[in-house]
């Protein structure tokens, strides 16, 4: 997948990001081919003279539609002044949003079933609640970082299966999770519930997510309250936010839900998305997870996240959880791909299971666009640095 192919960033895409030039003030731009369009210069709008997309996202759905219409019109008419067009090679991409809250779901039946078989081999793969609600946990917004931020191996408590007591030290089972993230543009008040029908006017766009996971720390800590330090040390997102408005051709019905969800989770038309991901480990593609296989939709996740009256806020990020398909080469986490480390994969001639210091992981994705085109998400990349406690 040519993650940086200019053809993936045509006028049918127009993803938003935040950039700077030569150490100058960050501001909002849109990617067009191999250039960045400076929206502050183009429109003279203070919403785009900001170090995040939050001010623009908060202006609401009608504003998103109008800015996109004006952009596409100017591109068609070749009315983009030269001073607004900056070569991509000359910009530094920044964190695109100020993250308000971060929630991570567990929406792939294939992923959840695989982990169930790994962790509970003598029981049903899925727990009783899994097909009744989108399972998730509340993460740590302060450690969501933009692509190309180095990831330091976390330290924590680990307990070997044959040990009587835990030990402290660097994680030895450091993993990735290839995910899709959804960015809330306009939120809700405390006590208000968003419905599945509110999704496309509430969610601004999508990013690629790598939810780095320390599996040994996670395995010891997660009973009974779930993920904590094994997840909270870092989550990486891509610098480009692909607007939901660009993904109309990618929309698909879900593969099927049985039993029928409770009324608040039902959709008149499903928000499945035909998005194809690639996971590259030190430059070698090792997996191609298909987002179209996900069991729960992002609209259902949003409805569930607010059904108890919890607020949604501009800049909230919620992620799908690991994206996995039915085939081995479609698994979006190394714990699945190597079956808990028992079935190594060959990476550049070496047998590998979990991440070593110096490893780099890059996740990219594309989706169908109009007239046979493809929409690009770019990449989310990160390299592992040694643990501070080593």
């Amino acid at each position: 997948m040519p993650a940086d192919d200019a053809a993936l960033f045509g006028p049918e895409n127009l993803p938003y990001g935040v950039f700077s030039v030569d150490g100058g003030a960050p501001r909002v731009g849109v990617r067009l081919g191999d250039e960045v369009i400076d929206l502050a210069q183009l429109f003279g709008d203070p919403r785009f003279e900001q170090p995040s997309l939050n001010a623009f996202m908060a202006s609401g759905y009608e504003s998103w539609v109008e800015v996109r219409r004006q952009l596409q019109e100017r591109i068609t008419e070749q009315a983009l002044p030269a001073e607004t067009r900056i070569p991509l090679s000359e910009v530094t991409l920044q964190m695109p949003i100020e993250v308000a809250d971060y929630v991570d779901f567990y929406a792939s039946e294939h992923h959840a079933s695989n982990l169930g078989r790994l962790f509970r081999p003598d029981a049903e793969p899925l727990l009783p609640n899994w097909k009744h609600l989108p399972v998730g946990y509340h993460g740590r917004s302060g450690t969501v970082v933009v692509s190309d931020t180095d990831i330091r191996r976390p330290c924590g408590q680990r307990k070997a299966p044959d040990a009587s007591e835990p030990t402290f030290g660097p994680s030895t089972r450091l993993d990735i999770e290839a995910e899709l993230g959804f960015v809330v543009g306009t939120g809700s008040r405390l006590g208000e519930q968003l419905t599945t029908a509110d999704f496309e006017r509430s969610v601004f766009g999508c990013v690629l997510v790598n939810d780095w996971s320390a599996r040994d720390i996670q395995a010891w800590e997660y009973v009974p309250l779930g993920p904590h330090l094994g997840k909270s040390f870092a989550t990486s997102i891509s610098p480009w936010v692909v607007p939901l408005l660009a993904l109309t051709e990618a929309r698909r019905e879900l593969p099927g839900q049985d039993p029928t969800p409770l009324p608040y989770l039902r959709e008149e038309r499903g928000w499945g998305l035909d998005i194809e991901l690639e996971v590259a480990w030190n430059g070698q593609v090792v997996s191609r997870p298909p987002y179209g296989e996900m069991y729960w939709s992002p609209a259902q996740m949003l409805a569930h996240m607010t059904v108890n009256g919890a607020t949604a806020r501009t800049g909230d990020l919620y992620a799908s959880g690991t994206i996995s398909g039915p085939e081995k080469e479609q698994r979006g986490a190394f714990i699945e791909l190597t079956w808990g480390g028992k079935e190594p994969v060959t990476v550049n001639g070496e047998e590998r299971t979990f991440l070593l210091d110096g490893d780099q992981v890059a996740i990219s994705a594309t989706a169908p666009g109009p007239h046979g085109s493809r929409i690009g998400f770019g990449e989310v990349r990160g390299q592992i640095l040694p643990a501070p406690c080593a």
Side-chain angles (χ1 to χ4, degrees):
M1 181 185 302
D4 290 321
D5 186 343
L8 298 174
F9 298 92
E12 61 282 340
N13 187 351
L14 300 179
Y16 292 85
V18 172
F19 72 98
S20 60
V21 179
D22 296 331
R27 55 196 187 273
V28 175
V30 158
R31 182 169 177 183
L32 178 63
D34 56 7
E35 295 180 325
V36 177
I37 309 304
D38 186 337
L39 296 186
Q41 282 264 37
L42 184 64
F43 293 123
D45 188 329
R47 294 176 301 174
F48 301 126
E49 297 173 357
Q50 306 292 326
S52 80
L53 284 165
N54 289 44
F56 173 55
M57 294 192 301
S59 62
Y61 179 80
E62 285 77 13
S63 178
W64 311 339
V65 171
E66 178 59 18
V67 168
R68 182 173 175 83
R69 184 195 67 78
Q70 290 187 37
L71 273 170
Q72 290 179 324
E73 184 178 277
R74 292 187 183 220
I75 293 167
T76 300
E77 296 175 353
Q78 298 185 335
L80 294 173
E83 63 270 19
T84 69
R85 303 170 61 169
I86 306 168
L88 184 65
S89 60
E90 295 180 9
V91 308
T92 300
L93 297 174
Q94 311 284 348
M95 185 75 177
I97 61 172
E98 183 179 347
V99 181
D101 277 307
Y102 169 52
V103 172
D104 197 19
F105 284 94
Y106 192 44
S108 165
E109 182 177 1
H110 298 293
H111 175 66
S113 296
N114 282 336
L115 291 196
R117 294 184 184 100
L118 278 169
F119 296 154
R120 300 180 301 277
D122 299 322
E124 286 294 317
L126 297 178
L127 293 172
N129 65 348
W130 198 89
K131 286 196 171 183
H132 292 276
L133 57 85
V135 174
Y137 72 91
H138 196 168
R140 192 171 181 85
S141 61
T143 52
V144 178
V145 298
V146 73
S147 177
D148 286 320
T149 302
D150 290 335
I151 305 302
R152 192 163 292 280
R153 181 180 299 274
C155 301
Q157 289 193 27
R158 308 82 38 91
K159 181 182 174 297
D162 58 351
S164 59
E165 298 291 335
T167 58
F168 177 84
S171 171
T172 59
R173 292 168 66 89
L174 188 56
D175 198 359
I176 66 139
E177 293 193 343
E179 308 187 13
L180 191 66
F182 300 89
V183 181
V184 173
T186 55
S188 58
R189 296 183 298 272
L190 186 66
E192 181 181 53
Q193 298 175 4
L194 294 175
T195 70
T196 55
D198 292 321
F199 170 71
E200 59 188 303
R201 295 181 68 92
S202 298
V203 168
F204 176 74
C206 306
V207 292
L208 297 176
V209 173
N210 186 345
D211 186 37
W212 306 92
S213 300
R215 300 297 185 185
D216 43 358
I217 296 172
Q218 181 184 357
W220 173 235
E221 74 178 359
Y222 86 104
V223 179
L225 293 182
H228 185 33
L229 300 183
K231 298 278 194 175
S232 64
F233 60 96
T235 300
S236 299
I237 67 171
S238 53
W240 297 112
V241 183
V242 175
L244 207 61
L245 293 166
L247 295 174
T248 54
E249 295 295 323
R251 187 174 179 180
R252 299 287 186 272
E253 287 294 339
L254 297 174
Q257 295 181 327
D258 184 22
T260 301
L262 291 173
Y264 80 94
L265 289 170
R266 294 175 193 167
E267 298 180 80
E268 186 173 331
R269 180 188 172 202
W271 260 104
L273 288 166
D274 179 15
I275 298 174
E276 299 175 4
L277 286 78
E278 280 189 355
V279 178
W281 191 349
N282 292 338
Q284 178 182 322
V285 175
V286 294
S287 177
R288 291 183 171 87
Y291 189 83
E293 289 284 336
M294 299 299 274
Y295 187 90
W296 294 105
S297 82
Q300 292 173 315
M301 295 178 219
L302 180 67
H304 186 67
M305 194 165 63
T306 62
V307 72
N308 66 344
T311 56
R313 297 186 292 171
T314 297
D316 278 359
L317 172 68
Y318 66 95
S320 62
T322 301
I323 302 164
S324 291
E327 307 300 328
K328 180 175 181 178
E329 63 272 15
Q330 295 176 323
R331 297 170 184 171
F334 296 160
I335 192 171
E336 287 180 86
L337 193 63
T338 68
W339 209 247
K342 297 176 183 177
E343 300 175 7
V345 296
T346 302
V347 179
N348 299 327
E350 296 182 38
E351 287 198 338
R352 302 296 302 276
T353 53
F354 293 95
L355 291 166
L356 300 178
D357 294 346
D359 281 355
Q360 183 183 85
V361 175
I363 302 168
S364 56
T366 66
H371 314 299
S373 63
R374 297 294 294 179
I375 298 291
F377 288 73
E379 286 186 331
V380 56
R381 292 186 299 265
Q383 186 168 21
I384 304 302
L385 300 183
C389 60

